[in-house]
Amino acid sequence: MSWVQVSLLARGLSRRWGGICRTALLGAPTAQAPRGLHCSAVIHKDDVWLVPRPPEPQKKPIKVPVLHEELFTPSANGEQDKAGFLRAVRSFGEQSVRKRGHVDFIYLALRKMPEFGVERDLSVYNLLLDVFPKEVFRPRNIIQRIFVHYPRQQECGIAVLEQMERHGVMPNTETEFLLTQIFGRISYPMLKFLRMKLWLTRFKNINPYPVPRDLPQDPLDLAKLSLRHMEPDLSAKVTVYQMSLPRDSTGTDATQPHIVGIQSPDQQAALARHNPSKPVYVEGPFPLWLRNTCVYYHILRADLPLPEEEEVEEIPEEWNLYYPMKLDLEYSRGAWDNYEFDLDEVTEGPVFAMCMAGAHDQATLVKWIQGLQETNPTLAQVPVIFRLARSTGELLTTSRLEGQSPPHSPPKGQEEDEALEEQQR
Amino acid sequence: MASIHKLLTGTYIHRNFLKPRAALHPFMGVQFVDYSSGSLQKQVAPGDRASQQRKTEEGVQEGHHKESALDVASLDQRPEVSFDKAIRDEALEHVRRLKDGIVAHCIGPEGRPMQEVIMEQARVIWKFREKEDLEKWMVTSDKTIGGRSEIFLKMAKNNQSALLYGTLSSEAPQDGNSSQSGYCAMISRIRRGVFERKLSYDWSLFNTLYLRVRGDGRPWMVNIKQDTDFLQKKNQIYSYFMFTRGGPYWQEIKIPFSKFFLSSQGRIRDVQSPLVVDKISSIGFTLADKVDGPFFLEIDFIGVFNDPAHTEEFAYENSPALNPGLFK
């Protein structure tokens, strides 16, 4: 036996019999499960990788040259738009009647669509489906119908429809006609088309808080839209406290961020009733997602009043002689009906106003508070504490359950408690 | 205790999802079922409101099937290492469960008197008031298939609600098999009763799901799974969408059970049937709206109630174009 074989045997034997004689012949590491004699000498990891490691982000993916990619190069002035995309698709068709490699070309075109900005354009998808040769892939007899006729082409057709679905594009009768012409009525793309027609129409309007697909580009309009989106009270008023400078101005002042606020009449009344000895907090910034844009907002809120301090407004009975102000009629259902959950909901302090600003620093928010004071004069006497989180996180609130006393100390968490009391003039 | 249970059940089993399933019915023309072959790209969860037809089920299903999946319940949890104590705790837990089971059986359904259960019209199923309430849930993300989304669950400030937060990343894992990715999910663990039996919920007296949440404007998906003790319904999930409004106000979301649609292995089924709520095993929330970025969702509690104004039995009817066999 050679030296290597002897050492391998010795290693295997020693481990197999749980031997102590772990020789340092090969310098094998100690933590290894016992293996048989005939295992390779290669040390491999015995750990079970629970999670496949994501690849290191530093490595750039290898760029593989793709056929027909030169058709999608940007035009002379460098812009990539619908005309350029259509030109590329048509030039493929003009190259040859046979349309060789159309499946790969269609996959490439699908990948290039977001770059050209046409992924939500139905006519472009129809044109792309037009690249398929017609009448060739239709099954003609039952055997062709049983076995997936031209499976790669059917998968490609499904991929086109899937990209349509992913971007929320509803196919139309032209798409249906094209699919029938290309694949026939009994084919997987046609089936997917039927399913899209059914389910996309069913789920079109199920969002109770719809957001328009094309969000306004102007940050001021976007702020107004998102404030209206968040506020359930329809009688709330949106006020623009400060507009940002137009882009072409040559002013040398510091940038003036826009400030838009919203406040409903109920909130205004609540702020008027607020006890001036208790502070109000400006908290933020909190994220709000509208489709795929994230905007940040701040709120002005106060802690919950102590239960002893909650006063009930008593309306004197003779205040209004025309109709009673308070009706105590028990028109409810019987005592056996109880639709309340037997768990106290989380109650939090009232929110008095919300705002969205271009900058999230205290100076901007001070301007917001000053703007609020015009409609809420009582805000002048109330101390305002700014609690601006350094990182956008969850809502930092003081809340308590109904029927419990509030916590004695305000919560200190991620936020930077700048106890800057702002005494108004 | 949880660690022993994991050891006993043989944990961390990876499953190969998306087995090639070119299901073809030779003699039934149009009746295709689940066309999914291995070469197709992985299903992905759509997030757009108009295109929410399929969703990534792999992670959610994996999480459902192996409860001991990667769960990152809370960041500050330090697992105990004492073996004897763990075994003792486990034994005591089983004895306690046996006692509870016998006592509860004598009192009534689920340990409450029958009259109370029958007259109930609103029931809180999951609440988030203590740290132990978080143990009933587990979170998964597409890290299990090599993606980069992260998700964490912790108690929010003042311990009054739970906060689910993290980052969604739709970067596809470079494993040569999937071209889309990006999902995060929170799934309830299946309750265990006497002798590790799986317990299910009986919500047949109720017809609406009630959620009190506060989100950031992202659309979520609510999935309900039925009990799989006798019937093999492992991959079937009933789902519906939960649209959060965003903003500082708490949002009450009511989803009637008639709105849940049936899907299997990540694809919506052609043949739809209503959700039968007498054996519900778990509920889950998924976020997969293809928008990269951080997210959060605060949950106050989850309950069910009986809405007397809701008379719809099932929201989706079967179409003769897709299922001619049903209309013969």
Side-chain angles (χ1 to χ4, degrees), chain A residues 126-154:
Chain A
N126 285 338
L127 204 76
L128 202 58
L129 274 179
D130 212 18
V131 173
F132 278 110
K134 313 287 182 300
E135 312 281 346
V136 184
F137 308 135
R138 291 176 71 162
R140 255 163 264 218
N141 50 44
I142 189 165
I143 297 177
Q144 287 177 353
R145 276 197 293 272
I146 291 170
F147 296 98
V148 183
H149 202 45
Y150 284 99
R152 305 295 142 236
Q153 278 79 358
Q154 289 207 19

PDB file of all heavy atoms in Angstrom, chain A residues 126-154:
ATOM      1  N   ASN A 126     -49.570  44.087 -28.790  1.00  0.00           N
ATOM      2  CA  ASN A 126     -50.191  43.467 -29.965  1.00  0.00           C
ATOM      3  C   ASN A 126     -49.211  43.390 -31.118  1.00  0.00           C
ATOM      4  O   ASN A 126     -49.148  42.397 -31.844  1.00  0.00           O
ATOM      5  CB  ASN A 126     -51.430  44.274 -30.374  1.00  0.00           C
ATOM      6  CG  ASN A 126     -52.584  44.014 -29.426  1.00  0.00           C
ATOM      7  OD1 ASN A 126     -52.606  42.988 -28.747  1.00  0.00           O
ATOM      8  ND2 ASN A 126     -53.522  44.929 -29.366  1.00  0.00           N
ATOM      9  N   LEU A 127     -48.420  44.422 -31.255  1.00  0.00           N
ATOM     10  CA  LEU A 127     -47.423  44.388 -32.330  1.00  0.00           C
ATOM     11  C   LEU A 127     -46.388  43.305 -32.078  1.00  0.00           C
ATOM     12  O   LEU A 127     -45.893  42.645 -32.997  1.00  0.00           O
ATOM     13  CB  LEU A 127     -46.734  45.747 -32.395  1.00  0.00           C
ATOM     14  CG  LEU A 127     -46.135  46.046 -33.749  1.00  0.00           C
ATOM     15  CD1 LEU A 127     -47.248  46.412 -34.690  1.00  0.00           C
ATOM     16  CD2 LEU A 127     -45.124  47.160 -33.667  1.00  0.00           C
ATOM     17  N   LEU A 128     -46.071  43.121 -30.815  1.00  0.00           N
ATOM     18  CA  LEU A 128     -45.094  42.082 -30.481  1.00  0.00           C
ATOM     19  C   LEU A 128     -45.662  40.700 -30.763  1.00  0.00           C
ATOM     20  O   LEU A 128     -44.967  39.803 -31.233  1.00  0.00           O
ATOM     21  CB  LEU A 128     -44.712  42.228 -29.011  1.00  0.00           C
ATOM     22  CG  LEU A 128     -43.392  41.624 -28.574  1.00  0.00           C
ATOM     23  CD1 LEU A 128     -42.263  42.216 -29.376  1.00  0.00           C
ATOM     24  CD2 LEU A 128     -43.177  41.919 -27.097  1.00  0.00           C
ATOM     25  N   LEU A 129     -46.953  40.539 -30.468  1.00  0.00           N
ATOM     26  CA  LEU A 129     -47.561  39.252 -30.786  1.00  0.00           C
ATOM     27  C   LEU A 129     -47.636  39.055 -32.282  1.00  0.00           C
ATOM     28  O   LEU A 129     -47.657  37.925 -32.774  1.00  0.00           O
ATOM     29  CB  LEU A 129     -48.977  39.187 -30.205  1.00  0.00           C
ATOM     30  CG  LEU A 129     -49.121  38.735 -28.756  1.00  0.00           C
ATOM     31  CD1 LEU A 129     -50.572  38.765 -28.343  1.00  0.00           C
ATOM     32  CD2 LEU A 129     -48.541  37.366 -28.545  1.00  0.00           C
ATOM     33  N   ASP A 130     -47.665  40.141 -33.004  1.00  0.00           N
ATOM     34  CA  ASP A 130     -47.726  40.055 -34.456  1.00  0.00           C
ATOM     35  C   ASP A 130     -46.458  39.464 -35.048  1.00  0.00           C
ATOM     36  O   ASP A 130     -46.442  39.043 -36.206  1.00  0.00           O
ATOM     37  CB  ASP A 130     -47.950  41.465 -35.011  1.00  0.00           C
ATOM     38  CG  ASP A 130     -48.755  41.439 -36.284  1.00  0.00           C
ATOM     39  OD1 ASP A 130     -49.410  40.404 -36.537  1.00  0.00           O
ATOM     40  OD2 ASP A 130     -48.719  42.433 -37.013  1.00  0.00           O
ATOM     41  N   VAL A 131     -45.387  39.462 -34.268  1.00  0.00           N
ATOM     42  CA  VAL A 131     -44.118  38.929 -34.775  1.00  0.00           C
ATOM     43  C   VAL A 131     -44.221  37.430 -35.014  1.00  0.00           C
ATOM     44  O   VAL A 131     -43.537  36.876 -35.870  1.00  0.00           O
ATOM     45  CB  VAL A 131     -42.994  39.255 -33.768  1.00  0.00           C
ATOM     46  CG1 VAL A 131     -41.698  38.584 -34.139  1.00  0.00           C
ATOM     47  CG2 VAL A 131     -42.810  40.750 -33.680  1.00  0.00           C
ATOM     48  N   PHE A 132     -45.087  36.761 -34.258  1.00  0.00           N
ATOM     49  CA  PHE A 132     -45.243  35.320 -34.452  1.00  0.00           C
ATOM     50  C   PHE A 132     -45.753  35.036 -35.855  1.00  0.00           C
ATOM     51  O   PHE A 132     -46.615  35.750 -36.355  1.00  0.00           O
ATOM     52  CB  PHE A 132     -46.278  34.765 -33.465  1.00  0.00           C
ATOM     53  CG  PHE A 132     -45.748  34.487 -32.094  1.00  0.00           C
ATOM     54  CD1 PHE A 132     -46.127  35.276 -31.018  1.00  0.00           C
ATOM     55  CD2 PHE A 132     -44.895  33.419 -31.855  1.00  0.00           C
ATOM     56  CE1 PHE A 132     -45.654  35.009 -29.750  1.00  0.00           C
ATOM     57  CE2 PHE A 132     -44.422  33.148 -30.598  1.00  0.00           C
ATOM     58  CZ  PHE A 132     -44.801  33.947 -29.538  1.00  0.00           C
ATOM     59  N   PRO A 133     -45.245  33.997 -36.500  1.00  0.00           N
ATOM     60  CA  PRO A 133     -45.853  33.588 -37.765  1.00  0.00           C
ATOM     61  C   PRO A 133     -47.250  33.027 -37.500  1.00  0.00           C
ATOM     62  O   PRO A 133     -47.482  32.335 -36.509  1.00  0.00           O
ATOM     63  CB  PRO A 133     -44.906  32.505 -38.304  1.00  0.00           C
ATOM     64  CG  PRO A 133     -44.045  32.131 -37.175  1.00  0.00           C
ATOM     65  CD  PRO A 133     -44.044  33.231 -36.176  1.00  0.00           C
ATOM     66  N   LYS A 134     -48.153  33.378 -38.423  1.00  0.00           N
ATOM     67  CA  LYS A 134     -49.542  33.004 -38.169  1.00  0.00           C
ATOM     68  C   LYS A 134     -49.828  31.626 -38.708  1.00  0.00           C
ATOM     69  O   LYS A 134     -49.187  31.147 -39.623  1.00  0.00           O
ATOM     70  CB  LYS A 134     -50.481  34.014 -38.854  1.00  0.00           C
ATOM     71  CG  LYS A 134     -50.107  35.444 -38.618  1.00  0.00           C
ATOM     72  CD  LYS A 134     -50.445  35.838 -37.208  1.00  0.00           C
ATOM     73  CE  LYS A 134     -50.135  37.281 -36.936  1.00  0.00           C
ATOM     74  NZ  LYS A 134     -48.762  37.657 -37.094  1.00  0.00           N
ATOM     75  N   GLU A 135     -50.835  30.987 -38.182  1.00  0.00           N
ATOM     76  CA  GLU A 135     -51.398  29.753 -38.704  1.00  0.00           C
ATOM     77  C   GLU A 135     -50.445  28.570 -38.674  1.00  0.00           C
ATOM     78  O   GLU A 135     -50.828  27.467 -39.061  1.00  0.00           O
ATOM     79  CB  GLU A 135     -51.879  29.916 -40.173  1.00  0.00           C
ATOM     80  CG  GLU A 135     -52.712  31.133 -40.418  1.00  0.00           C
ATOM     81  CD  GLU A 135     -54.155  30.963 -39.959  1.00  0.00           C
ATOM     82  OE1 GLU A 135     -54.557  29.816 -39.694  1.00  0.00           O
ATOM     83  OE2 GLU A 135     -54.866  31.963 -39.831  1.00  0.00           O
ATOM     84  N   VAL A 136     -49.228  28.771 -38.242  1.00  0.00           N
ATOM     85  CA  VAL A 136     -48.279  27.644 -38.277  1.00  0.00           C
ATOM     86  C   VAL A 136     -48.429  26.800 -37.031  1.00  0.00           C
ATOM     87  O   VAL A 136     -48.320  25.579 -37.077  1.00  0.00           O
ATOM     88  CB  VAL A 136     -46.835  28.176 -38.379  1.00  0.00           C
ATOM     89  CG1 VAL A 136     -45.868  27.029 -38.514  1.00  0.00           C
ATOM     90  CG2 VAL A 136     -46.700  29.123 -39.535  1.00  0.00           C
ATOM     91  N   PHE A 137     -48.687  27.471 -35.899  1.00  0.00           N
ATOM     92  CA  PHE A 137     -48.665  26.750 -34.636  1.00  0.00           C
ATOM     93  C   PHE A 137     -50.044  26.272 -34.217  1.00  0.00           C
ATOM     94  O   PHE A 137     -50.211  25.790 -33.117  1.00  0.00           O
ATOM     95  CB  PHE A 137     -48.102  27.673 -33.527  1.00  0.00           C
ATOM     96  CG  PHE A 137     -46.794  28.296 -33.889  1.00  0.00           C
ATOM     97  CD1 PHE A 137     -46.570  29.645 -33.645  1.00  0.00           C
ATOM     98  CD2 PHE A 137     -45.792  27.549 -34.467  1.00  0.00           C
ATOM     99  CE1 PHE A 137     -45.366  30.228 -33.983  1.00  0.00           C
ATOM    100  CE2 PHE A 137     -44.594  28.124 -34.807  1.00  0.00           C
ATOM    101  CZ  PHE A 137     -44.380  29.471 -34.567  1.00  0.00           C
ATOM    102  N   ARG A 138     -51.004  26.395 -35.091  1.00  0.00           N
ATOM    103  CA  ARG A 138     -52.341  25.967 -34.667  1.00  0.00           C
ATOM    104  C   ARG A 138     -52.407  24.455 -34.750  1.00  0.00           C
ATOM    105  O   ARG A 138     -52.015  23.868 -35.745  1.00  0.00           O
ATOM    106  CB  ARG A 138     -53.386  26.569 -35.594  1.00  0.00           C
ATOM    107  CG  ARG A 138     -53.516  28.056 -35.446  1.00  0.00           C
ATOM    108  CD  ARG A 138     -54.478  28.595 -36.424  1.00  0.00           C
ATOM    109  NE  ARG A 138     -55.828  28.211 -36.066  1.00  0.00           N
ATOM    110  CZ  ARG A 138     -56.896  28.833 -36.542  1.00  0.00           C
ATOM    111  NH1 ARG A 138     -56.743  29.848 -37.363  1.00  0.00           N
ATOM    112  NH2 ARG A 138     -58.087  28.442 -36.214  1.00  0.00           N
ATOM    113  N   PRO A 139     -52.942  23.833 -33.734  1.00  0.00           N
ATOM    114  CA  PRO A 139     -53.067  22.360 -33.799  1.00  0.00           C
ATOM    115  C   PRO A 139     -54.167  21.982 -34.783  1.00  0.00           C
ATOM    116  O   PRO A 139     -55.203  22.613 -34.857  1.00  0.00           O
ATOM    117  CB  PRO A 139     -53.437  21.984 -32.359  1.00  0.00           C
ATOM    118  CG  PRO A 139     -53.997  23.201 -31.754  1.00  0.00           C
ATOM    119  CD  PRO A 139     -53.403  24.373 -32.441  1.00  0.00           C
ATOM    120  N   ARG A 140     -53.892  20.934 -35.533  1.00  0.00           N
ATOM    121  CA  ARG A 140     -54.833  20.579 -36.598  1.00  0.00           C
ATOM    122  C   ARG A 140     -55.593  19.314 -36.333  1.00  0.00           C
ATOM    123  O   ARG A 140     -56.603  19.070 -36.919  1.00  0.00           O
ATOM    124  CB  ARG A 140     -54.086  20.424 -37.926  1.00  0.00           C
ATOM    125  CG  ARG A 140     -54.320  21.581 -38.848  1.00  0.00           C
ATOM    126  CD  ARG A 140     -53.295  21.595 -39.918  1.00  0.00           C
ATOM    127  NE  ARG A 140     -52.232  22.504 -39.517  1.00  0.00           N
ATOM    128  CZ  ARG A 140     -51.605  23.296 -40.385  1.00  0.00           C
ATOM    129  NH1 ARG A 140     -51.891  23.249 -41.622  1.00  0.00           N
ATOM    130  NH2 ARG A 140     -50.668  24.085 -39.960  1.00  0.00           N
ATOM    131  N   ASN A 141     -55.088  18.466 -35.454  1.00  0.00           N
ATOM    132  CA  ASN A 141     -55.835  17.251 -35.153  1.00  0.00           C
ATOM    133  C   ASN A 141     -55.705  16.976 -33.662  1.00  0.00           C
ATOM    134  O   ASN A 141     -55.049  17.705 -32.928  1.00  0.00           O
ATOM    135  CB  ASN A 141     -55.311  16.070 -35.978  1.00  0.00           C
ATOM    136  CG  ASN A 141     -53.816  15.965 -35.874  1.00  0.00           C
ATOM    137  OD1 ASN A 141     -53.263  16.082 -34.781  1.00  0.00           O
ATOM    138  ND2 ASN A 141     -53.138  15.783 -36.984  1.00  0.00           N
ATOM    139  N   ILE A 142     -56.348  15.920 -33.263  1.00  0.00           N
ATOM    140  CA  ILE A 142     -56.487  15.718 -31.824  1.00  0.00           C
ATOM    141  C   ILE A 142     -55.145  15.368 -31.200  1.00  0.00           C
ATOM    142  O   ILE A 142     -54.880  15.697 -30.042  1.00  0.00           O
ATOM    143  CB  ILE A 142     -57.552  14.628 -31.534  1.00  0.00           C
ATOM    144  CG1 ILE A 142     -57.846  14.570 -30.045  1.00  0.00           C
ATOM    145  CG2 ILE A 142     -57.119  13.275 -32.019  1.00  0.00           C
ATOM    146  CD1 ILE A 142     -59.075  13.832 -29.687  1.00  0.00           C
ATOM    147  N   ILE A 143     -54.279  14.738 -31.986  1.00  0.00           N
ATOM    148  CA  ILE A 143     -52.981  14.382 -31.414  1.00  0.00           C
ATOM    149  C   ILE A 143     -52.177  15.640 -31.137  1.00  0.00           C
ATOM    150  O   ILE A 143     -51.510  15.760 -30.113  1.00  0.00           O
ATOM    151  CB  ILE A 143     -52.228  13.436 -32.371  1.00  0.00           C
ATOM    152  CG1 ILE A 143     -53.033  12.154 -32.510  1.00  0.00           C
ATOM    153  CG2 ILE A 143     -50.839  13.159 -31.855  1.00  0.00           C
ATOM    154  CD1 ILE A 143     -52.443  11.175 -33.467  1.00  0.00           C
ATOM    155  N   GLN A 144     -52.284  16.582 -32.051  1.00  0.00           N
ATOM    156  CA  GLN A 144     -51.561  17.831 -31.804  1.00  0.00           C
ATOM    157  C   GLN A 144     -52.191  18.609 -30.659  1.00  0.00           C
ATOM    158  O   GLN A 144     -51.510  19.353 -29.960  1.00  0.00           O
ATOM    159  CB  GLN A 144     -51.571  18.691 -33.070  1.00  0.00           C
ATOM    160  CG  GLN A 144     -50.656  18.151 -34.143  1.00  0.00           C
ATOM    161  CD  GLN A 144     -50.724  18.945 -35.413  1.00  0.00           C
ATOM    162  OE1 GLN A 144     -51.554  19.845 -35.556  1.00  0.00           O
ATOM    163  NE2 GLN A 144     -49.862  18.621 -36.354  1.00  0.00           N
ATOM    164  N   ARG A 145     -53.477  18.394 -30.472  1.00  0.00           N
ATOM    165  CA  ARG A 145     -54.098  19.110 -29.358  1.00  0.00           C
ATOM    166  C   ARG A 145     -53.720  18.480 -28.027  1.00  0.00           C
ATOM    167  O   ARG A 145     -53.619  19.151 -27.011  1.00  0.00           O
ATOM    168  CB  ARG A 145     -55.623  19.113 -29.511  1.00  0.00           C
ATOM    169  CG  ARG A 145     -56.142  20.198 -30.398  1.00  0.00           C
ATOM    170  CD  ARG A 145     -57.620  20.397 -30.160  1.00  0.00           C
ATOM    171  NE  ARG A 145     -58.396  19.253 -30.582  1.00  0.00           N
ATOM    172  CZ  ARG A 145     -58.861  19.095 -31.828  1.00  0.00           C
ATOM    173  NH1 ARG A 145     -58.608  19.999 -32.738  1.00  0.00           N
ATOM    174  NH2 ARG A 145     -59.558  18.034 -32.143  1.00  0.00           N
ATOM    175  N   ILE A 146     -53.549  17.151 -28.044  1.00  0.00           N
ATOM    176  CA  ILE A 146     -53.217  16.468 -26.790  1.00  0.00           C
ATOM    177  C   ILE A 146     -51.826  16.884 -26.329  1.00  0.00           C
ATOM    178  O   ILE A 146     -51.622  17.320 -25.206  1.00  0.00           O
ATOM    179  CB  ILE A 146     -53.259  14.943 -26.970  1.00  0.00           C
ATOM    180  CG1 ILE A 146     -54.675  14.466 -27.184  1.00  0.00           C
ATOM    181  CG2 ILE A 146     -52.665  14.249 -25.766  1.00  0.00           C
ATOM    182  CD1 ILE A 146     -54.740  13.037 -27.607  1.00  0.00           C
ATOM    183  N   PHE A 147     -50.895  16.710 -27.229  1.00  0.00           N
ATOM    184  CA  PHE A 147     -49.527  17.082 -26.892  1.00  0.00           C
ATOM    185  C   PHE A 147     -49.362  18.559 -27.199  1.00  0.00           C
ATOM    186  O   PHE A 147     -49.823  19.045 -28.210  1.00  0.00           O
ATOM    187  CB  PHE A 147     -48.541  16.250 -27.719  1.00  0.00           C
ATOM    188  CG  PHE A 147     -48.621  14.797 -27.397  1.00  0.00           C
ATOM    189  CD1 PHE A 147     -49.361  13.946 -28.181  1.00  0.00           C
ATOM    190  CD2 PHE A 147     -47.962  14.290 -26.293  1.00  0.00           C
ATOM    191  CE1 PHE A 147     -49.438  12.610 -27.871  1.00  0.00           C
ATOM    192  CE2 PHE A 147     -48.037  12.957 -25.986  1.00  0.00           C
ATOM    193  CZ  PHE A 147     -48.781  12.114 -26.787  1.00  0.00           C
ATOM    194  N   VAL A 148     -48.678  19.236 -26.342  1.00  0.00           N
ATOM    195  CA  VAL A 148     -48.548  20.675 -26.466  1.00  0.00           C
ATOM    196  C   VAL A 148     -47.863  20.990 -27.791  1.00  0.00           C
ATOM    197  O   VAL A 148     -46.679  20.739 -27.960  1.00  0.00           O
ATOM    198  CB  VAL A 148     -47.726  21.226 -25.285  1.00  0.00           C
ATOM    199  CG1 VAL A 148     -47.639  22.734 -25.362  1.00  0.00           C
ATOM    200  CG2 VAL A 148     -48.335  20.799 -23.985  1.00  0.00           C
ATOM    201  N   HIS A 149     -48.620  21.548 -28.706  1.00  0.00           N
ATOM    202  CA  HIS A 149     -48.094  21.782 -30.044  1.00  0.00           C
ATOM    203  C   HIS A 149     -47.187  23.008 -30.008  1.00  0.00           C
ATOM    204  O   HIS A 149     -47.609  24.080 -29.614  1.00  0.00           O
ATOM    205  CB  HIS A 149     -49.271  22.012 -30.981  1.00  0.00           C
ATOM    206  CG  HIS A 149     -48.956  21.744 -32.414  1.00  0.00           C
ATOM    207  ND1 HIS A 149     -48.270  20.628 -32.836  1.00  0.00           N
ATOM    208  CD2 HIS A 149     -49.226  22.456 -33.517  1.00  0.00           C
ATOM    209  CE1 HIS A 149     -48.134  20.666 -34.135  1.00  0.00           C
ATOM    210  NE2 HIS A 149     -48.696  21.762 -34.588  1.00  0.00           N
ATOM    211  N   TYR A 150     -45.954  22.844 -30.459  1.00  0.00           N
ATOM    212  CA  TYR A 150     -44.962  23.933 -30.420  1.00  0.00           C
ATOM    213  C   TYR A 150     -44.861  24.517 -29.002  1.00  0.00           C
ATOM    214  O   TYR A 150     -45.264  25.660 -28.748  1.00  0.00           O
ATOM    215  CB  TYR A 150     -45.328  25.045 -31.415  1.00  0.00           C
ATOM    216  CG  TYR A 150     -45.028  24.677 -32.831  1.00  0.00           C
ATOM    217  CD1 TYR A 150     -46.020  24.209 -33.674  1.00  0.00           C
ATOM    218  CD2 TYR A 150     -43.728  24.777 -33.325  1.00  0.00           C
ATOM    219  CE1 TYR A 150     -45.731  23.858 -34.979  1.00  0.00           C
ATOM    220  CE2 TYR A 150     -43.440  24.419 -34.624  1.00  0.00           C
ATOM    221  CZ  TYR A 150     -44.451  23.953 -35.444  1.00  0.00           C
ATOM    222  OH  TYR A 150     -44.161  23.612 -36.732  1.00  0.00           O
ATOM    223  N   PRO A 151     -44.325  23.747 -28.062  1.00  0.00           N
ATOM    224  CA  PRO A 151     -44.367  24.199 -26.667  1.00  0.00           C
ATOM    225  C   PRO A 151     -43.563  25.465 -26.392  1.00  0.00           C
ATOM    226  O   PRO A 151     -43.981  26.301 -25.589  1.00  0.00           O
ATOM    227  CB  PRO A 151     -43.806  23.009 -25.882  1.00  0.00           C
ATOM    228  CG  PRO A 151     -43.060  22.203 -26.870  1.00  0.00           C
ATOM    229  CD  PRO A 151     -43.698  22.419 -28.179  1.00  0.00           C
ATOM    230  N   ARG A 152     -42.420  25.639 -27.018  1.00  0.00           N
ATOM    231  CA  ARG A 152     -41.634  26.850 -26.735  1.00  0.00           C
ATOM    232  C   ARG A 152     -42.379  28.080 -27.177  1.00  0.00           C
ATOM    233  O   ARG A 152     -42.342  29.120 -26.516  1.00  0.00           O
ATOM    234  CB  ARG A 152     -40.278  26.811 -27.443  1.00  0.00           C
ATOM    235  CG  ARG A 152     -39.448  25.623 -27.162  1.00  0.00           C
ATOM    236  CD  ARG A 152     -39.016  25.559 -25.706  1.00  0.00           C
ATOM    237  NE  ARG A 152     -39.029  24.191 -25.237  1.00  0.00           N
ATOM    238  CZ  ARG A 152     -39.697  23.755 -24.184  1.00  0.00           C
ATOM    239  NH1 ARG A 152     -40.385  24.577 -23.440  1.00  0.00           N
ATOM    240  NH2 ARG A 152     -39.682  22.487 -23.848  1.00  0.00           N
ATOM    241  N   GLN A 153     -43.058  27.989 -28.340  1.00  0.00           N
ATOM    242  CA  GLN A 153     -43.794  29.155 -28.805  1.00  0.00           C
ATOM    243  C   GLN A 153     -44.968  29.445 -27.895  1.00  0.00           C
ATOM    244  O   GLN A 153     -45.300  30.598 -27.629  1.00  0.00           O
ATOM    245  CB  GLN A 153     -44.293  28.917 -30.239  1.00  0.00           C
ATOM    246  CG  GLN A 153     -43.255  29.171 -31.302  1.00  0.00           C
ATOM    247  CD  GLN A 153     -42.286  28.027 -31.440  1.00  0.00           C
ATOM    248  OE1 GLN A 153     -42.362  27.050 -30.703  1.00  0.00           O
ATOM    249  NE2 GLN A 153     -41.359  28.143 -32.364  1.00  0.00           N
ATOM    250  N   GLN A 154     -45.597  28.394 -27.393  1.00  0.00           N
ATOM    251  CA  GLN A 154     -46.712  28.629 -26.475  1.00  0.00           C
ATOM    252  C   GLN A 154     -46.215  29.263 -25.188  1.00  0.00           C
ATOM    253  O   GLN A 154     -46.842  30.167 -24.637  1.00  0.00           O
ATOM    254  CB  GLN A 154     -47.426  27.314 -26.161  1.00  0.00           C
ATOM    255  CG  GLN A 154     -48.214  26.802 -27.339  1.00  0.00           C
ATOM    256  CD  GLN A 154     -49.390  25.943 -26.902  1.00  0.00           C
ATOM    257  OE1 GLN A 154     -49.825  26.013 -25.758  1.00  0.00           O
ATOM    258  NE2 GLN A 154     -49.903  25.151 -27.822  1.00  0.00           N
TER     259      GLN A 154
END
